[in-house]
Short mmCIF file of all heavy atoms in Angstrom, two decimals:
data_model
loop_
_atom_site.label_atom_id
_atom_site.label_comp_id
_atom_site.label_asym_id
_atom_site.label_seq_id
_atom_site.Cartn_x
_atom_site.Cartn_y
_atom_site.Cartn_z
N ASN A 8 38.03 -44.49 13.84
CA ASN A 8 37.54 -45.86 13.94
C ASN A 8 37.00 -46.38 12.61
O ASN A 8 37.06 -47.57 12.32
CB ASN A 8 36.40 -45.95 14.96
CG ASN A 8 36.89 -45.64 16.37
OD1 ASN A 8 38.02 -45.95 16.72
ND2 ASN A 8 36.04 -45.03 17.17
N ALA A 9 36.43 -45.48 11.83
CA ALA A 9 35.84 -45.87 10.56
C ALA A 9 35.79 -44.66 9.64
O ALA A 9 35.78 -43.51 10.10
CB ALA A 9 34.42 -46.41 10.76
N MET A 10 35.78 -44.95 8.34
CA MET A 10 35.65 -43.88 7.35
C MET A 10 34.59 -44.30 6.33
O MET A 10 34.31 -45.49 6.17
CB MET A 10 36.97 -43.61 6.65
CG MET A 10 38.05 -43.08 7.59
SD MET A 10 39.60 -42.69 6.77
CE MET A 10 39.14 -41.19 5.89
N GLY A 11 34.04 -43.32 5.68
CA GLY A 11 33.00 -43.65 4.72
C GLY A 11 32.74 -42.54 3.75
O GLY A 11 33.37 -41.48 3.80
N TRP A 12 31.78 -42.82 2.87
CA TRP A 12 31.34 -41.86 1.87
C TRP A 12 29.83 -41.69 1.98
O TRP A 12 29.10 -42.68 2.06
CB TRP A 12 31.70 -42.32 0.46
CG TRP A 12 33.16 -42.30 0.17
CD1 TRP A 12 34.05 -43.32 0.32
CD2 TRP A 12 33.91 -41.18 -0.30
NE1 TRP A 12 35.31 -42.90 -0.03
CE2 TRP A 12 35.25 -41.59 -0.43
CE3 TRP A 12 33.58 -39.86 -0.65
CZ2 TRP A 12 36.26 -40.74 -0.88
CZ3 TRP A 12 34.57 -39.01 -1.10
CH2 TRP A 12 35.90 -39.46 -1.20
N TYR A 13 29.41 -40.45 1.95
CA TYR A 13 28.00 -40.10 1.91
C TYR A 13 27.77 -39.27 0.65
O TYR A 13 28.73 -38.77 0.06
CB TYR A 13 27.59 -39.28 3.14
CG TYR A 13 27.47 -40.08 4.41
CD1 TYR A 13 28.59 -40.63 5.02
CD2 TYR A 13 26.24 -40.27 5.01
CE1 TYR A 13 28.47 -41.36 6.19
CE2 TYR A 13 26.11 -40.99 6.20
CZ TYR A 13 27.23 -41.53 6.77
OH TYR A 13 27.11 -42.25 7.93
N ARG A 14 26.52 -39.14 0.26
CA ARG A 14 26.21 -38.27 -0.87
C ARG A 14 24.90 -37.53 -0.62
O ARG A 14 24.05 -38.00 0.12
CB ARG A 14 26.12 -39.06 -2.17
CG ARG A 14 24.96 -40.04 -2.26
CD ARG A 14 25.07 -40.88 -3.53
NE ARG A 14 23.97 -41.83 -3.66
CZ ARG A 14 23.91 -42.77 -4.61
NH1 ARG A 14 24.89 -42.88 -5.50
NH2 ARG A 14 22.88 -43.60 -4.66
N GLN A 15 24.81 -36.38 -1.27
CA GLN A 15 23.60 -35.58 -1.15
C GLN A 15 23.24 -35.02 -2.51
O GLN A 15 24.01 -34.24 -3.08
CB GLN A 15 23.77 -34.45 -0.14
CG GLN A 15 22.50 -33.70 0.16
CD GLN A 15 22.62 -32.84 1.39
OE1 GLN A 15 23.72 -32.51 1.84
NE2 GLN A 15 21.49 -32.45 1.96
N ALA A 16 22.10 -35.43 -3.01
CA ALA A 16 21.59 -34.92 -4.28
C ALA A 16 20.70 -33.71 -4.01
O ALA A 16 20.18 -33.55 -2.90
CB ALA A 16 20.80 -36.01 -5.00
N PRO A 17 20.51 -32.86 -4.98
CA PRO A 17 19.67 -31.67 -4.78
C PRO A 17 18.28 -32.04 -4.29
O PRO A 17 17.62 -32.92 -4.86
CB PRO A 17 19.62 -31.04 -6.18
CG PRO A 17 20.87 -31.50 -6.83
CD PRO A 17 21.10 -32.89 -6.32
N GLY A 18 17.85 -31.39 -3.22
CA GLY A 18 16.52 -31.62 -2.68
C GLY A 18 16.37 -32.89 -1.88
O GLY A 18 15.26 -33.22 -1.45
N LYS A 19 17.47 -33.61 -1.66
CA LYS A 19 17.40 -34.86 -0.91
C LYS A 19 18.29 -34.81 0.31
O LYS A 19 19.20 -33.98 0.39
CB LYS A 19 17.80 -36.04 -1.81
CG LYS A 19 16.85 -36.28 -2.97
CD LYS A 19 17.20 -37.56 -3.69
CE LYS A 19 16.21 -37.85 -4.81
NZ LYS A 19 16.55 -39.13 -5.52
N GLN A 20 18.04 -35.73 1.24
CA GLN A 20 18.87 -35.81 2.43
C GLN A 20 20.19 -36.49 2.13
O GLN A 20 20.30 -37.28 1.18
CB GLN A 20 18.12 -36.59 3.52
CG GLN A 20 16.93 -35.85 4.11
CD GLN A 20 16.35 -36.57 5.31
OE1 GLN A 20 16.45 -37.79 5.42
NE2 GLN A 20 15.76 -35.83 6.21
N ARG A 21 21.19 -36.18 2.94
CA ARG A 21 22.47 -36.86 2.81
C ARG A 21 22.28 -38.32 3.20
O ARG A 21 21.62 -38.63 4.19
CB ARG A 21 23.51 -36.19 3.71
CG ARG A 21 24.93 -36.63 3.46
CD ARG A 21 25.91 -35.79 4.25
NE ARG A 21 25.91 -34.40 3.84
CZ ARG A 21 26.80 -33.51 4.26
NH1 ARG A 21 27.76 -33.88 5.09
NH2 ARG A 21 26.72 -32.26 3.87
N GLU A 22 22.89 -39.21 2.41
CA GLU A 22 22.72 -40.64 2.65
C GLU A 22 24.07 -41.35 2.62
O GLU A 22 24.99 -40.93 1.90
CB GLU A 22 21.79 -41.26 1.60
CG GLU A 22 22.30 -41.18 0.18
CD GLU A 22 21.42 -41.90 -0.82
OE1 GLU A 22 20.38 -42.46 -0.43
OE2 GLU A 22 21.78 -41.91 -2.02
N LEU A 23 24.14 -42.44 3.37
CA LEU A 23 25.34 -43.27 3.37
C LEU A 23 25.47 -43.99 2.05
O LEU A 23 24.50 -44.56 1.53
CB LEU A 23 25.27 -44.29 4.50
CG LEU A 23 26.37 -45.34 4.51
CD1 LEU A 23 27.71 -44.72 4.87
CD2 LEU A 23 26.03 -46.46 5.48
N VAL A 24 26.67 -43.96 1.50
CA VAL A 24 26.98 -44.72 0.28
C VAL A 24 27.74 -45.99 0.66
O VAL A 24 27.37 -47.09 0.28
CB VAL A 24 27.79 -43.88 -0.70
CG1 VAL A 24 28.18 -44.71 -1.93
CG2 VAL A 24 27.03 -42.63 -1.11
N ALA A 25 28.83 -45.82 1.40
CA ALA A 25 29.67 -46.95 1.79
C ALA A 25 30.52 -46.54 2.98
O ALA A 25 30.86 -45.37 3.13
CB ALA A 25 30.54 -47.42 0.64
N ALA A 26 30.87 -47.53 3.79
CA ALA A 26 31.72 -47.28 4.95
C ALA A 26 32.65 -48.45 5.16
O ALA A 26 32.34 -49.58 4.74
CB ALA A 26 30.87 -47.03 6.19
N ILE A 27 33.78 -48.18 5.81
CA ILE A 27 34.75 -49.22 6.10
C ILE A 27 35.35 -48.95 7.47
O ILE A 27 35.69 -47.82 7.81
CB ILE A 27 35.84 -49.29 5.00
CG1 ILE A 27 36.77 -50.47 5.23
CG2 ILE A 27 36.61 -47.97 4.89
CD1 ILE A 27 37.65 -50.77 4.03
N THR A 28 35.47 -50.02 8.27
CA THR A 28 36.04 -49.88 9.61
C THR A 28 37.55 -50.12 9.58
O THR A 28 38.10 -50.55 8.57
CB THR A 28 35.40 -50.90 10.56
OG1 THR A 28 35.80 -52.22 10.16
CG2 THR A 28 33.88 -50.80 10.54
N ASN A 29 38.18 -49.86 10.70
CA ASN A 29 39.62 -50.13 10.81
C ASN A 29 39.91 -51.60 10.57
O ASN A 29 40.98 -51.96 10.07
CB ASN A 29 40.13 -49.72 12.18
CG ASN A 29 40.28 -48.23 12.32
OD1 ASN A 29 40.08 -47.48 11.37
ND2 ASN A 29 40.63 -47.77 13.51
N GLY A 30 38.97 -52.46 10.91
CA GLY A 30 39.17 -53.88 10.72
C GLY A 30 38.87 -54.36 9.31
O GLY A 30 39.07 -55.55 9.00
N GLY A 31 38.41 -53.47 8.46
CA GLY A 31 38.15 -53.82 7.08
C GLY A 31 36.73 -54.21 6.77
O GLY A 31 36.41 -54.52 5.62
N SER A 32 35.85 -54.18 7.75
CA SER A 32 34.44 -54.48 7.48
C SER A 32 33.82 -53.36 6.67
O SER A 32 34.08 -52.18 6.93
CB SER A 32 33.68 -54.65 8.79
OG SER A 32 34.17 -55.75 9.51
N THR A 33 33.00 -53.73 5.70
CA THR A 33 32.39 -52.74 4.81
C THR A 33 30.87 -52.81 4.87
O THR A 33 30.29 -53.84 5.21
CB THR A 33 32.85 -52.93 3.36
OG1 THR A 33 32.51 -54.26 2.94
CG2 THR A 33 34.34 -52.72 3.22
N ASN A 34 30.27 -51.70 4.51
CA ASN A 34 28.82 -51.59 4.48
C ASN A 34 28.46 -50.71 3.29
O ASN A 34 29.09 -49.68 3.07
CB ASN A 34 28.32 -50.95 5.78
CG ASN A 34 26.81 -50.86 5.83
OD1 ASN A 34 26.12 -51.74 5.37
ND2 ASN A 34 26.31 -49.76 6.38
N TYR A 35 27.45 -51.13 2.51
CA TYR A 35 27.06 -50.39 1.31
C TYR A 35 25.56 -50.12 1.29
O TYR A 35 24.76 -50.94 1.78
CB TYR A 35 27.39 -51.19 0.05
CG TYR A 35 28.86 -51.40 -0.20
CD1 TYR A 35 29.50 -52.54 0.27
CD2 TYR A 35 29.60 -50.47 -0.92
CE1 TYR A 35 30.85 -52.74 0.05
CE2 TYR A 35 30.95 -50.66 -1.16
CZ TYR A 35 31.57 -51.80 -0.67
OH TYR A 35 32.91 -51.99 -0.90
N ALA A 36 25.19 -49.01 0.69
CA ALA A 36 23.79 -48.77 0.41
C ALA A 36 23.33 -49.77 -0.65
O ALA A 36 24.11 -50.14 -1.54
CB ALA A 36 23.60 -47.34 -0.11
N ASP A 37 22.08 -50.20 -0.55
CA ASP A 37 21.57 -51.18 -1.50
C ASP A 37 21.68 -50.69 -2.94
O ASP A 37 21.93 -51.46 -3.87
CB ASP A 37 20.10 -51.51 -1.18
CG ASP A 37 19.95 -52.35 0.06
OD1 ASP A 37 20.95 -52.95 0.51
OD2 ASP A 37 18.83 -52.40 0.61
N SER A 38 21.54 -49.40 -3.12
CA SER A 38 21.53 -48.83 -4.47
C SER A 38 22.89 -48.88 -5.16
O SER A 38 22.96 -48.71 -6.39
CB SER A 38 21.05 -47.38 -4.42
OG SER A 38 21.91 -46.59 -3.61
N VAL A 39 23.96 -49.13 -4.40
CA VAL A 39 25.29 -49.14 -5.01
C VAL A 39 25.97 -50.50 -4.92
O VAL A 39 27.07 -50.67 -5.46
CB VAL A 39 26.20 -48.06 -4.40
CG1 VAL A 39 25.53 -46.69 -4.48
CG2 VAL A 39 26.61 -48.39 -2.98
N LYS A 40 25.36 -51.44 -4.24
CA LYS A 40 25.97 -52.76 -4.10
C LYS A 40 26.24 -53.38 -5.47
O LYS A 40 25.39 -53.36 -6.35
CB LYS A 40 25.06 -53.68 -3.28
CG LYS A 40 25.07 -53.39 -1.79
CD LYS A 40 24.16 -54.34 -1.03
CE LYS A 40 24.18 -54.04 0.46
NZ LYS A 40 23.23 -54.91 1.22
N GLY A 41 27.44 -53.93 -5.61
CA GLY A 41 27.83 -54.53 -6.87
C GLY A 41 28.41 -53.56 -7.89
O GLY A 41 28.96 -53.98 -8.91
N ARG A 42 28.29 -52.26 -7.61
CA ARG A 42 28.82 -51.25 -8.53
C ARG A 42 29.93 -50.42 -7.89
O ARG A 42 30.87 -50.02 -8.58
CB ARG A 42 27.70 -50.31 -8.99
CG ARG A 42 26.55 -50.99 -9.70
CD ARG A 42 25.58 -49.97 -10.30
NE ARG A 42 24.94 -49.14 -9.27
CZ ARG A 42 25.00 -47.82 -9.24
NH1 ARG A 42 25.69 -47.15 -10.17
NH2 ARG A 42 24.38 -47.13 -8.28
N PHE A 43 29.83 -50.15 -6.61
CA PHE A 43 30.81 -49.33 -5.90
C PHE A 43 31.62 -50.21 -4.96
O PHE A 43 31.12 -51.17 -4.38
CB PHE A 43 30.11 -48.25 -5.07
CG PHE A 43 29.44 -47.16 -5.86
CD1 PHE A 43 29.24 -47.25 -7.22
CD2 PHE A 43 28.98 -46.02 -5.21
CE1 PHE A 43 28.61 -46.25 -7.94
CE2 PHE A 43 28.35 -45.00 -5.90
CZ PHE A 43 28.16 -45.13 -7.27
N THR A 44 32.89 -49.82 -4.79
CA THR A 44 33.76 -50.52 -3.86
C THR A 44 34.52 -49.51 -3.02
O THR A 44 35.18 -48.61 -3.57
CB THR A 44 34.75 -51.42 -4.59
OG1 THR A 44 34.05 -52.36 -5.40
CG2 THR A 44 35.62 -52.19 -3.60
N ILE A 45 34.44 -49.66 -1.70
CA ILE A 45 35.21 -48.81 -0.80
C ILE A 45 36.45 -49.57 -0.38
O ILE A 45 36.41 -50.78 -0.15
CB ILE A 45 34.36 -48.36 0.41
CG1 ILE A 45 35.09 -47.29 1.21
CG2 ILE A 45 33.96 -49.55 1.27
CD1 ILE A 45 34.22 -46.62 2.27
N SER A 46 37.56 -48.86 -0.28
CA SER A 46 38.80 -49.48 0.17
C SER A 46 39.63 -48.47 0.94
O SER A 46 39.38 -47.26 0.88
CB SER A 46 39.59 -50.02 -1.02
OG SER A 46 39.97 -48.97 -1.90
N ARG A 47 40.60 -49.00 1.65
CA ARG A 47 41.42 -48.15 2.51
C ARG A 47 42.83 -48.72 2.44
O ARG A 47 43.08 -49.80 2.99
CB ARG A 47 40.85 -48.18 3.92
CG ARG A 47 41.33 -47.11 4.84
CD ARG A 47 40.48 -47.14 6.11
NE ARG A 47 41.05 -46.34 7.16
CZ ARG A 47 40.54 -46.27 8.39
NH1 ARG A 47 39.47 -46.95 8.71
NH2 ARG A 47 41.12 -45.51 9.29
N ASP A 48 43.74 -48.02 1.75
CA ASP A 48 45.05 -48.62 1.52
C ASP A 48 46.04 -48.33 2.64
O ASP A 48 47.01 -49.03 2.81
CB ASP A 48 45.63 -48.17 0.18
CG ASP A 48 45.92 -46.68 0.15
OD1 ASP A 48 45.47 -45.96 1.05
OD2 ASP A 48 46.58 -46.24 -0.80
#
């Protein structure tokens, strides 16, 4: 239904970076907005 990217830095919890649904809707962490782009070809 959807795919995404998470990240985990040493000593920190895994966090959502970006996600995209089958319909193309996207969601980004505030820390990466404007710098990262998720896509699904």
Side-chain angles (χ1 to χ4, degrees):
N8 295 327
M10 296 183 72
W12 291 93
Y13 286 68
R14 67 187 180 187
Q15 187 166 18
K19 295 187 177 181
Q20 290 188 332
R21 191 172 296 189
E22 62 175 2
L23 172 69
V24 177
I27 186 167
T28 67
N29 284 356
S32 296
T33 58
N34 182 37
Y35 294 92
D37 287 343
S38 61
V39 306
K40 284 180 180 177
R42 301 188 297 123
F43 291 12
T44 302
I45 190 170
S46 63
R47 196 170 168 184
D48 65 348

